[in-house]
Amino acid sequence: MVKQRIGAINSKLIEKSKRYKELTGISTVELVEKLLTDFFKDIKLTNEYIDINEIYYFNFKELLNNKEVKASKNKPSQDLKETFIVKKIPNNLDEFDQTKNTFCYNGKSEKHLGIYSYNLFISKLKFKDTELVQYYILFEYNEKTEELDLKIIDLEDITLLIDLNKISKVLSDLNEFNNIFIKELERIKKMPEEKKLYLKYGKPLFEYDNPLVYLGSSNVIESYRNAKKMAKEINRVDSEMYDELKGRYNSRDLVIFRDGKLVKHEEVNDIKQLEKKESDET
């Protein structure tokens, strides 16, 4: 039987939608929104990051020593000083699969793969001795089982997993990301030693001198201790804001920032001036 169509939609679907709207009182816009929401619920249309509602915990020291670790949604009861949190999951090694209709890894819709460069400044007694360590972390995520494995990996080993021609942009992005921290290290080493600021955890001034760099480096993973310290400070200043931010990502006892903007130091003043201008105009 030949299907009769109204425009590009099967006429039977039109009749069903009319009947459904009559029975439920739902509007056409609400129905379309519902259908599209359900359709896109499990589809990944980008291969940048996968947002997660509930954070994962892992032992950073264990990751460095064993080169791999399994993250968990359960906060550990010990070694919290070595504990890090995962706030979103890179999936930049995923490819769009036409059959599965989503970004995924190796043609399996529930599997995702991403690489992230974590840049860690190591504070020394003097600014000029500050060190920068860059770790390439591979994220293997099963969306169905919610299992998340992290592995320290050499950058050249990525080509064993993914064709080099397919990840040239990923490698370029990682290099650009790392260069921001390398330049920041050069700037730190030249800072006058009298600006050195000793804080509770031995943090040097530069983490606060350029907070945009710090936030940019902690979009994906962050020390639980640092995140906890930030949460305590926000709670002290504004308890209502703390409650609102704390509940946003089911983070239990933390305020989660996962959208910090990473910029070069020389751009900081430009951004401040732009924000001031926008504030004056409103």
Side-chain angles (χ1 to χ4, degrees):
M1 184 176 69
V2 179
K3 293 181 178 179
Q4 294 180 349
R5 304 180 72 85
I6 298 176
I9 302 177
N10 188 300
S11 59
K12 288 186 178 181
L13 293 178
I14 294 291
E15 292 302 319
K16 286 182 178 181
S17 65
K18 287 181 178 178
R19 181 61 176 157
Y20 182 79
K21 288 188 291 182
E22 290 173 359
L23 291 170
T24 63
I26 192 172
S27 68
T28 300
V29 172
E30 290 171 329
L31 177 58
V32 171
E33 183 175 4
K34 172 180 170 55
L35 293 173
L36 290 177
T37 299
D38 290 342
F39 178 78
F40 287 118
K41 181 175 64 175
D42 297 319
I43 293 178
K44 301 289 181 293
L45 295 177
T46 66
N47 62 337
E48 295 177 352
Y49 298 102
I50 297 174
D51 287 332
I52 50 178
N53 290 326
E54 195 168 356
I55 60 175
Y56 284 80
Y57 299 85
F58 70 95
N59 189 296
F60 190 72
K61 186 176 182 180
E62 181 182 346
L63 175 62
L64 296 184
N65 290 339
N66 300 335
K67 304 304 180 185
E68 60 181 82
V69 69
K70 184 175 290 292
S72 171
K73 290 185 178 181
N74 299 318
K75 185 174 69 175
S77 58
Q78 58 186 9
D79 290 336
L80 286 175
K81 289 184 178 180
E82 302 294 342
T83 296
F84 271 56
I85 58 175
V86 178
K87 298 187 280 189
K88 58 184 178 181
I89 300 172
N91 67 321
N92 50 1
L93 298 179
D94 281 359
E95 294 184 62
F96 192 81
D97 189 286
Q98 296 286 351
T99 303
K100 303 296 183 180
N101 207 33
T102 187
F103 272 103
C104 59
Y105 175 63
N106 208 21
K108 298 181 180 179
S109 59
E110 74 276 12
K111 292 193 174 182
H112 303 280
L113 192 70
I115 185 170
Y116 176 67
S117 178
Y118 178 63
N119 288 259
L120 177 65
F121 287 112
I122 300 178
S123 175
K124 299 293 184 179
L125 188 61
K126 295 181 179 296
F127 277 129
K128 66 179 182 179
D129 297 324
T130 302
E131 296 177 0
L132 172 64
V133 182
Q134 297 173 324
Y135 300 102
Y136 291 106
I137 304 176
L138 191 70
F139 287 71
E140 297 179 355
Y141 179 54
N142 187 312
E143 193 170 14
K144 185 175 181 179
T145 63
E146 297 187 333
E147 292 178 296
L148 176 61
D149 296 312
L150 283 68
K151 299 179 180 179
I152 297 288
I153 189 171
D154 292 330
L155 191 59
E156 54 267 24
D157 289 344
I158 294 298
T159 58
L160 300 177
L161 297 170
I162 308 291
D163 189 296
L164 182 60
N165 294 326
K166 295 180 180 179
I167 59 169
S168 57
K169 185 179 185 307
V170 173
L171 298 177
S172 176
D173 289 345
L174 288 173
N175 184 61
E176 182 178 351
F177 183 82
N178 286 339
N179 281 336
I180 293 177
F181 291 91
I182 292 172
K183 290 182 179 180
E184 181 69 1
L185 178 65
E186 295 173 353
R187 186 187 71 84
I188 291 167
K189 284 178 173 290
K190 296 176 182 178
M191 289 181 64
E193 295 300 334
E194 59 267 22
K195 283 192 174 183
K196 187 75 175 182
L197 180 65
Y198 291 98
L199 300 173
K200 185 175 181 181
Y201 299 120
K203 301 275 181 206
L205 176 63
F206 62 81
E207 286 195 357
Y208 302 91
D209 180 50
N210 191 356
L212 294 178
V213 166
Y214 173 70
L215 287 176
S217 70
S218 60
N219 277 341
V220 175
I221 67 173
E222 183 179 10
S223 161
Y224 173 77
R225 183 171 63 176
N226 286 355
K228 185 68 174 178
K229 182 182 177 185
M230 177 73 75
K232 287 169 63 178
E233 182 63 20
I234 292 176
N235 188 34
R236 183 185 68 82
V237 175
D238 190 332
S239 60
E240 290 185 4
M241 178 186 292
Y242 168 78
D243 289 335
E244 194 276 326
L245 292 174
K246 180 172 68 74
R248 184 174 296 176
Y249 302 121
N250 299 325
S251 56
R252 297 190 181 94
D253 61 344
L254 299 175
V255 172
I256 304 300
F257 294 102
R258 60 183 183 187
D259 298 314
K261 185 177 181 181
L262 181 63
V263 298
K264 299 175 182 177
H265 182 267
E266 56 267 25
E267 296 173 338
V268 173
N269 287 333
D270 293 338
I271 291 176
K272 288 180 178 178
Q273 291 175 7
L274 179 61
E275 289 177 343
K276 185 178 184 303
K277 179 180 178 181
E278 291 175 347
S279 177
D280 293 340
E281 291 176 349
T282 58

